[in-house]
Short mmCIF file of all heavy atoms in Angstrom, two decimals:
data_model
loop_
_atom_site.label_atom_id
_atom_site.label_comp_id
_atom_site.label_asym_id
_atom_site.label_seq_id
_atom_site.Cartn_x
_atom_site.Cartn_y
_atom_site.Cartn_z
N MET A 5 15.73 -23.35 3.75
CA MET A 5 16.29 -22.02 3.63
C MET A 5 16.84 -21.56 4.95
O MET A 5 16.27 -21.85 6.06
CB MET A 5 15.16 -21.06 3.21
CG MET A 5 15.67 -19.76 2.69
SD MET A 5 14.33 -18.64 2.16
CE MET A 5 13.90 -19.33 0.56
N SER A 6 17.92 -20.85 5.00
CA SER A 6 18.58 -20.53 6.28
C SER A 6 17.72 -19.37 6.95
O SER A 6 16.88 -18.67 6.31
CB SER A 6 19.94 -20.03 6.04
OG SER A 6 19.97 -18.64 5.36
N GLN A 7 17.95 -19.26 8.25
CA GLN A 7 17.28 -18.22 8.99
C GLN A 7 17.55 -16.84 8.46
O GLN A 7 16.63 -16.01 8.40
CB GLN A 7 17.64 -18.34 10.51
CG GLN A 7 16.96 -19.40 11.32
CD GLN A 7 15.48 -19.18 11.38
OE1 GLN A 7 14.75 -19.87 10.64
NE2 GLN A 7 15.07 -18.27 12.13
N SER A 8 18.71 -16.61 8.10
CA SER A 8 19.12 -15.31 7.54
C SER A 8 18.31 -14.96 6.35
O SER A 8 17.77 -13.87 6.16
CB SER A 8 20.63 -15.25 7.26
OG SER A 8 20.92 -14.03 6.66
N LYS A 9 18.17 -15.92 5.41
CA LYS A 9 17.36 -15.72 4.19
C LYS A 9 15.91 -15.55 4.51
O LYS A 9 15.27 -14.73 3.86
CB LYS A 9 17.58 -16.83 3.19
CG LYS A 9 18.98 -16.81 2.56
CD LYS A 9 19.08 -17.91 1.49
CE LYS A 9 20.50 -17.86 0.88
NZ LYS A 9 20.61 -18.85 -0.16
N LEU A 10 15.39 -16.31 5.46
CA LEU A 10 13.97 -16.21 5.89
C LEU A 10 13.76 -14.75 6.40
O LEU A 10 12.75 -14.11 6.05
CB LEU A 10 13.59 -17.20 6.88
CG LEU A 10 13.47 -18.63 6.34
CD1 LEU A 10 13.25 -19.61 7.48
CD2 LEU A 10 12.26 -18.75 5.34
N GLN A 11 14.66 -14.37 7.27
CA GLN A 11 14.49 -12.99 7.85
C GLN A 11 14.56 -11.90 6.81
O GLN A 11 13.81 -10.96 6.76
CB GLN A 11 15.63 -12.78 8.93
CG GLN A 11 15.48 -11.42 9.66
CD GLN A 11 14.18 -11.29 10.51
OE1 GLN A 11 13.50 -12.29 10.77
NE2 GLN A 11 13.89 -10.08 10.84
N SER A 12 15.50 -12.08 5.90
CA SER A 12 15.64 -11.09 4.78
C SER A 12 14.32 -11.06 3.92
O SER A 12 13.92 -9.98 3.49
CB SER A 12 16.80 -11.44 3.89
OG SER A 12 17.98 -11.28 4.54
N ALA A 13 13.75 -12.23 3.72
CA ALA A 13 12.50 -12.30 2.91
C ALA A 13 11.36 -11.60 3.66
O ALA A 13 10.58 -10.90 3.03
CB ALA A 13 12.16 -13.72 2.57
N ARG A 14 11.25 -11.80 4.93
CA ARG A 14 10.26 -11.15 5.77
C ARG A 14 10.44 -9.72 5.70
O ARG A 14 9.35 -8.93 5.57
CB ARG A 14 10.31 -11.67 7.22
CG ARG A 14 9.77 -13.01 7.41
CD ARG A 14 9.69 -13.36 8.93
NE ARG A 14 9.68 -14.78 9.08
CZ ARG A 14 10.59 -15.53 9.54
NH1 ARG A 14 11.77 -14.98 9.89
NH2 ARG A 14 10.56 -16.83 9.59
N ILE A 15 11.62 -9.18 5.80
CA ILE A 15 11.91 -7.78 5.83
C ILE A 15 11.49 -7.18 4.43
O ILE A 15 10.84 -6.18 4.34
CB ILE A 15 13.38 -7.48 6.22
CG1 ILE A 15 13.57 -7.76 7.67
CG2 ILE A 15 13.64 -6.01 5.91
CD1 ILE A 15 15.04 -7.80 8.11
N ALA A 16 11.88 -7.90 3.40
CA ALA A 16 11.60 -7.38 2.06
C ALA A 16 10.10 -7.35 1.84
O ALA A 16 9.57 -6.35 1.24
CB ALA A 16 12.20 -8.33 1.01
N ARG A 17 9.34 -8.33 2.34
CA ARG A 17 7.86 -8.33 2.13
C ARG A 17 7.30 -7.13 2.96
O ARG A 17 6.37 -6.46 2.39
CB ARG A 17 7.25 -9.63 2.72
CG ARG A 17 7.28 -10.71 1.74
CD ARG A 17 6.36 -11.88 2.17
NE ARG A 17 6.64 -12.38 3.47
CZ ARG A 17 7.52 -13.36 3.72
NH1 ARG A 17 8.21 -13.93 2.78
NH2 ARG A 17 7.75 -13.74 5.01
N GLU A 18 7.80 -6.87 4.12
CA GLU A 18 7.25 -5.74 4.90
C GLU A 18 7.60 -4.40 4.23
O GLU A 18 6.72 -3.49 4.19
CB GLU A 18 7.82 -5.81 6.40
CG GLU A 18 7.33 -4.63 7.24
CD GLU A 18 5.87 -4.55 7.42
OE1 GLU A 18 5.16 -5.51 7.19
OE2 GLU A 18 5.42 -3.53 7.83
N VAL A 19 8.75 -4.25 3.81
CA VAL A 19 9.12 -3.01 3.12
C VAL A 19 8.24 -2.79 1.88
O VAL A 19 7.77 -1.70 1.62
CB VAL A 19 10.62 -3.01 2.75
CG1 VAL A 19 10.99 -1.88 1.77
CG2 VAL A 19 11.50 -2.89 4.00
N HIS A 20 8.00 -3.90 1.15
CA HIS A 20 7.21 -3.80 -0.10
C HIS A 20 5.79 -3.43 0.29
O HIS A 20 5.18 -2.50 -0.34
CB HIS A 20 7.20 -5.16 -0.77
CG HIS A 20 6.36 -5.21 -2.02
ND1 HIS A 20 6.70 -4.51 -3.17
CD2 HIS A 20 5.25 -5.87 -2.28
CE1 HIS A 20 5.83 -4.72 -4.10
NE2 HIS A 20 4.90 -5.54 -3.57
N ARG A 21 5.24 -3.95 1.36
CA ARG A 21 3.87 -3.62 1.85
C ARG A 21 3.82 -2.21 2.22
O ARG A 21 2.85 -1.45 1.92
CB ARG A 21 3.46 -4.54 2.99
CG ARG A 21 2.06 -4.39 3.44
CD ARG A 21 1.83 -4.89 4.83
NE ARG A 21 2.54 -4.24 5.90
CZ ARG A 21 2.24 -2.99 6.39
NH1 ARG A 21 1.18 -2.42 5.89
NH2 ARG A 21 2.95 -2.53 7.31
N GLN A 22 4.85 -1.67 2.93
CA GLN A 22 4.89 -0.25 3.34
C GLN A 22 4.94 0.61 2.16
O GLN A 22 4.31 1.71 2.13
CB GLN A 22 6.05 -0.03 4.27
CG GLN A 22 5.92 -0.66 5.62
CD GLN A 22 7.19 -0.55 6.48
OE1 GLN A 22 8.16 -0.06 6.00
NE2 GLN A 22 7.09 -0.96 7.73
N ASN A 23 5.68 0.24 1.15
CA ASN A 23 5.74 1.12 -0.06
C ASN A 23 4.48 1.14 -0.76
O ASN A 23 4.04 2.22 -1.26
CB ASN A 23 6.91 0.57 -0.95
CG ASN A 23 8.29 0.85 -0.46
OD1 ASN A 23 8.50 1.72 0.32
ND2 ASN A 23 9.22 0.03 -0.91
N ILE A 24 3.78 0.06 -0.87
CA ILE A 24 2.47 0.07 -1.52
C ILE A 24 1.51 0.94 -0.72
O ILE A 24 0.73 1.74 -1.33
CB ILE A 24 1.93 -1.36 -1.68
CG1 ILE A 24 2.71 -2.13 -2.73
CG2 ILE A 24 0.44 -1.39 -2.05
CD1 ILE A 24 2.51 -3.63 -2.77
N GLN A 25 1.52 0.80 0.57
CA GLN A 25 0.65 1.56 1.43
C GLN A 25 0.97 3.10 1.24
O GLN A 25 0.01 3.89 1.12
CB GLN A 25 0.85 1.21 2.90
CG GLN A 25 -0.10 1.88 3.86
CD GLN A 25 -1.52 1.46 3.68
OE1 GLN A 25 -1.81 0.34 3.20
NE2 GLN A 25 -2.52 2.33 4.04
N ARG A 26 2.20 3.50 1.23
CA ARG A 26 2.51 4.91 1.04
C ARG A 26 2.08 5.40 -0.29
O ARG A 26 1.56 6.56 -0.46
CB ARG A 26 4.07 5.12 1.14
CG ARG A 26 4.48 5.45 2.56
CD ARG A 26 5.87 5.99 2.60
NE ARG A 26 6.88 5.03 2.13
CZ ARG A 26 7.42 4.09 2.92
NH1 ARG A 26 7.11 4.00 4.17
NH2 ARG A 26 8.31 3.28 2.41
N SER A 27 2.26 4.53 -1.35
CA SER A 27 1.79 4.92 -2.68
C SER A 27 0.28 5.14 -2.72
O SER A 27 -0.22 6.08 -3.28
CB SER A 27 2.23 3.86 -3.68
OG SER A 27 1.77 4.20 -4.96
N LEU A 28 -0.43 4.23 -2.12
CA LEU A 28 -1.90 4.40 -2.07
C LEU A 28 -2.32 5.60 -1.37
O LEU A 28 -3.20 6.29 -1.80
CB LEU A 28 -2.52 3.13 -1.43
CG LEU A 28 -2.73 1.92 -2.26
CD1 LEU A 28 -3.11 0.71 -1.41
CD2 LEU A 28 -3.75 2.12 -3.29
N GLU A 29 -1.64 5.92 -0.24
CA GLU A 29 -2.03 7.06 0.51
C GLU A 29 -1.74 8.35 -0.28
O GLU A 29 -2.54 9.32 -0.32
CB GLU A 29 -1.24 7.13 1.86
CG GLU A 29 -1.76 6.09 2.83
CD GLU A 29 -0.84 5.91 4.00
OE1 GLU A 29 0.28 6.57 4.11
OE2 GLU A 29 -1.11 5.10 4.86
N HIS A 30 -0.61 8.39 -1.04
CA HIS A 30 -0.31 9.53 -1.87
C HIS A 30 -1.34 9.70 -2.95
O HIS A 30 -1.84 10.78 -3.26
CB HIS A 30 1.13 9.42 -2.40
CG HIS A 30 1.43 10.53 -3.41
ND1 HIS A 30 1.67 11.79 -3.00
CD2 HIS A 30 1.54 10.49 -4.79
CE1 HIS A 30 1.89 12.58 -4.05
NE2 HIS A 30 1.85 11.76 -5.08
N ARG A 31 -1.63 8.60 -3.65
CA ARG A 31 -2.58 8.60 -4.71
C ARG A 31 -3.96 9.10 -4.24
O ARG A 31 -4.70 9.82 -4.93
CB ARG A 31 -2.72 7.26 -5.37
CG ARG A 31 -1.48 6.89 -6.13
CD ARG A 31 -1.51 5.45 -6.66
NE ARG A 31 -2.57 5.18 -7.52
CZ ARG A 31 -3.09 3.98 -7.63
NH1 ARG A 31 -2.71 2.94 -7.01
NH2 ARG A 31 -4.09 3.80 -8.49
N LEU A 32 -4.36 8.72 -2.99
CA LEU A 32 -5.59 9.10 -2.40
C LEU A 32 -5.61 10.63 -2.10
O LEU A 32 -6.58 11.34 -2.37
CB LEU A 32 -5.88 8.27 -1.16
CG LEU A 32 -7.20 8.45 -0.47
CD1 LEU A 32 -8.35 8.27 -1.41
CD2 LEU A 32 -7.32 7.56 0.72
N GLN A 33 -4.53 11.12 -1.63
CA GLN A 33 -4.41 12.55 -1.38
C GLN A 33 -4.59 13.35 -2.69
O GLN A 33 -5.25 14.40 -2.68
CB GLN A 33 -3.00 12.93 -0.76
CG GLN A 33 -2.87 12.47 0.72
CD GLN A 33 -1.48 12.72 1.17
OE1 GLN A 33 -0.53 13.04 0.42
NE2 GLN A 33 -1.30 12.67 2.49
N VAL A 34 -3.99 12.93 -3.70
CA VAL A 34 -4.03 13.57 -5.03
C VAL A 34 -5.47 13.47 -5.56
O VAL A 34 -6.00 14.54 -6.00
CB VAL A 34 -3.05 12.98 -6.05
CG1 VAL A 34 -3.29 13.53 -7.41
CG2 VAL A 34 -1.59 13.26 -5.56
N ALA A 35 -6.09 12.36 -5.44
CA ALA A 35 -7.48 12.16 -5.91
C ALA A 35 -8.42 13.09 -5.11
O ALA A 35 -9.33 13.72 -5.65
CB ALA A 35 -7.89 10.74 -5.78
N ARG A 36 -8.18 13.22 -3.82
CA ARG A 36 -9.03 14.11 -2.98
C ARG A 36 -8.81 15.56 -3.39
O ARG A 36 -9.78 16.34 -3.45
CB ARG A 36 -8.68 13.89 -1.51
CG ARG A 36 -9.32 12.65 -0.96
CD ARG A 36 -9.06 12.42 0.44
NE ARG A 36 -9.74 11.29 0.98
CZ ARG A 36 -9.22 10.47 1.97
NH1 ARG A 36 -8.07 10.73 2.54
NH2 ARG A 36 -9.90 9.45 2.36
N ALA A 37 -7.57 15.92 -3.63
CA ALA A 37 -7.31 17.31 -4.04
C ALA A 37 -7.97 17.69 -5.36
O ALA A 37 -8.39 18.81 -5.61
CB ALA A 37 -5.77 17.48 -4.20
N LYS A 38 -8.05 16.68 -6.23
CA LYS A 38 -8.69 16.93 -7.54
C LYS A 38 -10.20 16.73 -7.47
O LYS A 38 -10.90 17.09 -8.46
CB LYS A 38 -8.13 15.90 -8.54
CG LYS A 38 -6.71 16.21 -8.96
CD LYS A 38 -6.24 15.19 -10.03
CE LYS A 38 -4.84 15.52 -10.55
NZ LYS A 38 -4.40 14.59 -11.53
N GLY A 39 -10.74 16.16 -6.38
CA GLY A 39 -12.13 15.94 -6.24
C GLY A 39 -12.65 14.75 -7.11
O GLY A 39 -13.83 14.73 -7.41
N ASP A 40 -11.76 13.86 -7.38
CA ASP A 40 -12.13 12.70 -8.28
C ASP A 40 -12.79 11.58 -7.35
O ASP A 40 -12.13 10.72 -6.85
CB ASP A 40 -10.93 12.12 -8.94
CG ASP A 40 -11.20 11.06 -9.99
OD1 ASP A 40 -12.21 10.40 -9.88
OD2 ASP A 40 -10.33 10.90 -10.86
N GLN A 41 -14.10 11.65 -7.22
CA GLN A 41 -14.79 10.79 -6.32
C GLN A 41 -14.74 9.33 -6.71
O GLN A 41 -14.63 8.44 -5.88
CB GLN A 41 -16.28 11.20 -6.19
CG GLN A 41 -16.46 12.55 -5.54
CD GLN A 41 -15.94 12.63 -4.18
OE1 GLN A 41 -16.12 11.68 -3.41
NE2 GLN A 41 -15.19 13.72 -3.87
N THR A 42 -14.74 9.04 -8.04
CA THR A 42 -14.60 7.64 -8.50
C THR A 42 -13.27 7.09 -8.11
O THR A 42 -13.24 5.94 -7.54
CB THR A 42 -14.80 7.59 -10.02
OG1 THR A 42 -16.09 8.18 -10.37
CG2 THR A 42 -14.71 6.17 -10.54
N LEU A 43 -12.22 7.79 -8.31
CA LEU A 43 -10.89 7.33 -7.96
C LEU A 43 -10.71 7.18 -6.45
O LEU A 43 -10.17 6.20 -5.97
CB LEU A 43 -9.77 8.23 -8.54
CG LEU A 43 -8.38 7.77 -8.30
CD1 LEU A 43 -8.15 6.35 -8.82
CD2 LEU A 43 -7.46 8.77 -8.98
N ILE A 44 -11.34 8.10 -5.66
CA ILE A 44 -11.24 8.03 -4.24
C ILE A 44 -11.89 6.80 -3.75
O ILE A 44 -11.31 6.07 -2.95
CB ILE A 44 -11.95 9.31 -3.62
CG1 ILE A 44 -11.14 10.56 -3.89
CG2 ILE A 44 -12.16 9.09 -2.15
CD1 ILE A 44 -11.86 11.85 -3.55
N ARG A 45 -13.03 6.46 -4.27
CA ARG A 45 -13.72 5.20 -3.81
C ARG A 45 -12.89 3.95 -4.25
O ARG A 45 -12.81 3.10 -3.46
CB ARG A 45 -15.11 5.15 -4.48
CG ARG A 45 -16.15 5.99 -3.81
CD ARG A 45 -17.58 5.73 -4.30
NE ARG A 45 -17.74 5.96 -5.69
CZ ARG A 45 -18.04 7.08 -6.22
NH1 ARG A 45 -18.16 8.20 -5.53
NH2 ARG A 45 -18.15 7.27 -7.55
N GLN A 46 -12.32 4.00 -5.41
CA GLN A 46 -11.51 2.84 -5.84
C GLN A 46 -10.28 2.68 -4.89
O GLN A 46 -9.96 1.56 -4.53
CB GLN A 46 -11.01 3.04 -7.32
CG GLN A 46 -12.17 2.87 -8.35
CD GLN A 46 -11.68 3.20 -9.69
OE1 GLN A 46 -10.71 3.87 -9.91
NE2 GLN A 46 -12.46 2.69 -10.66
N LEU A 47 -9.59 3.76 -4.66
CA LEU A 47 -8.41 3.66 -3.80
C LEU A 47 -8.75 3.34 -2.41
O LEU A 47 -8.04 2.51 -1.77
CB LEU A 47 -7.63 5.07 -3.90
CG LEU A 47 -7.02 5.36 -5.20
CD1 LEU A 47 -6.51 6.82 -5.20
CD2 LEU A 47 -5.88 4.41 -5.53
N GLU A 48 -9.81 3.83 -1.89
CA GLU A 48 -10.27 3.47 -0.48
C GLU A 48 -10.57 1.96 -0.45
O GLU A 48 -10.20 1.26 0.54
CB GLU A 48 -11.44 4.27 -0.11
CG GLU A 48 -11.11 5.67 0.28
CD GLU A 48 -12.22 6.58 0.60
OE1 GLU A 48 -13.44 6.26 0.25
OE2 GLU A 48 -12.05 7.68 1.22
N ALA A 49 -11.21 1.42 -1.52
CA ALA A 49 -11.50 -0.02 -1.54
C ALA A 49 -10.19 -0.79 -1.58
O ALA A 49 -10.00 -1.83 -0.91
CB ALA A 49 -12.37 -0.35 -2.76
N GLU A 50 -9.26 -0.32 -2.41
CA GLU A 50 -8.01 -1.01 -2.51
C GLU A 50 -7.23 -1.03 -1.20
O GLU A 50 -6.63 -2.00 -0.77
CB GLU A 50 -7.11 -0.34 -3.62
CG GLU A 50 -5.91 -1.17 -4.00
CD GLU A 50 -5.14 -0.55 -5.17
OE1 GLU A 50 -5.73 0.17 -5.99
OE2 GLU A 50 -3.96 -0.82 -5.26
N MET A 51 -7.34 0.09 -0.49
CA MET A 51 -6.65 0.19 0.87
C MET A 51 -7.29 -0.80 1.82
O MET A 51 -6.63 -1.39 2.60
CB MET A 51 -6.71 1.59 1.38
CG MET A 51 -5.81 2.57 0.65
SD MET A 51 -5.87 4.21 1.31
CE MET A 51 -4.83 4.03 2.73
N SER A 52 -8.66 -0.96 1.73
CA SER A 52 -9.36 -1.82 2.66
C SER A 52 -8.96 -3.31 2.39
O SER A 52 -8.87 -4.16 3.27
CB SER A 52 -10.83 -1.65 2.62
OG SER A 52 -11.36 -2.14 1.46
N TYR A 53 -8.71 -3.61 1.12
CA TYR A 53 -8.31 -4.99 0.74
C TYR A 53 -6.92 -5.30 1.23
O TYR A 53 -6.64 -6.45 1.60
CB TYR A 53 -8.36 -5.25 -0.78
CG TYR A 53 -9.68 -5.10 -1.38
CD1 TYR A 53 -9.85 -4.44 -2.60
CD2 TYR A 53 -10.85 -5.59 -0.77
CE1 TYR A 53 -11.11 -4.24 -3.22
CE2 TYR A 53 -12.10 -5.51 -1.38
CZ TYR A 53 -12.22 -4.86 -2.56
OH TYR A 53 -13.42 -4.74 -3.18
N SER A 54 -6.07 -4.28 1.24
CA SER A 54 -4.71 -4.54 1.65
C SER A 54 -4.44 -4.62 3.15
O SER A 54 -3.38 -4.96 3.61
CB SER A 54 -3.74 -3.47 1.00
OG SER A 54 -4.00 -2.26 1.56
N ASN A 55 -5.47 -4.19 3.90
CA ASN A 55 -5.27 -4.23 5.36
C ASN A 55 -5.77 -5.49 5.97
O ASN A 55 -6.29 -6.40 5.62
CB ASN A 55 -6.05 -3.09 6.02
CG ASN A 55 -5.37 -1.73 5.66
OD1 ASN A 55 -4.16 -1.75 5.47
ND2 ASN A 55 -6.11 -0.71 5.62
#
């Protein structure tokens, strides 16, 4: 695979990771606002797995 394609793949992976992280953070904010402790624990666990 060419360097350009490898670089593009790395960038795409990083953008995807950032999007997932932002989504998790937003979902966690909403769960906290609603006081949904079960969902808060699940999302916090998911965030710890992704880091």
